Amino acid sequence: MIPGYLLTLVTSFFVMDMVIRVFKDQPGGTYNHYLGMFVSPTDLAYSVIKATVFCAAVTLIHCYYGYFTSGGPAGVGQASGRAVRASLVTIMVLDFTLTVMLWGLQPVYVFKG
C-alpha cells in the first residue's frame, strides 16, 4: 500500500505541475517554489502514516463484517453496507484524531477589519 500511495503522491505533484504549465500557461517556478516551501518531509511522512492507518482500519472493518456475514446474498449486501458506513465514520474519526496527534491544534487567526 505504501509504495502505491507514494507513487500516487509523486504523480499528483507532476500532474499539477503539468496542468499549471500546459493548460493554464503559467510558469511552473511559482508552483515548485511554494511546493518546496510548504510541503516538508515531515508532512509527507505523516501523510504516509495516516494513509497506512486508514488502510488498516478499513481492511479490518471489512474483514470483520465479511467474516460474520450470514443470510446468503441478502446478508452479504447488508454486511457490505454496514462495513462501508462503519469505514466512513471510522476514517472521519481517525482523520481528526491523527491530525491532532501528529500536527497538533493550530491557533486560528481571524482578521477583522
Side-chain angles (χ1 to χ4, degrees):
M1 198 270 342
I2 293 172
Y5 175 74
L6 291 174
L7 182 65
T8 303
L9 194 62
V10 169
T11 302
S12 71
F13 293 152
F14 285 120
V15 168
M16 285 310 302
D17 186 55
M18 184 188 71
V19 166
I20 289 168
R21 290 176 193 255
V22 175
F23 297 111
K24 299 296 182 182
D25 197 28
Q26 298 293 317
T30 304
Y31 171 75
N32 292 329
H33 171 74
Y34 284 107
L35 180 69
M37 193 168 158
F38 290 109
V39 178
S40 70
T42 304
D43 289 338
L44 295 175
Y46 287 168
S47 74
V48 170
I49 291 169
K50 285 178 68 172
T52 304
V53 170
F54 294 164
C55 183
V58 169
T59 300
L60 290 173
I61 289 169
H62 284 261
C63 286
Y64 172 82
Y65 279 100
Y67 185 77
F68 291 106
T69 298
S70 62
V76 171
Q78 290 175 345
S80 176
R82 289 183 181 126
V84 169
R85 287 188 297 274
S87 295
L88 290 172
V89 171
T90 301
I91 286 176
M92 287 183 194
V93 170
L94 283 174
D95 187 31
F96 174 76
T97 304
L98 288 171
T99 299
V100 170
M101 283 174 47
L102 295 172
W103 283 280
L105 291 174
Q106 302 295 324
V108 177
Y109 299 103
V110 178
F111 295 105
K112 297 179 183 177

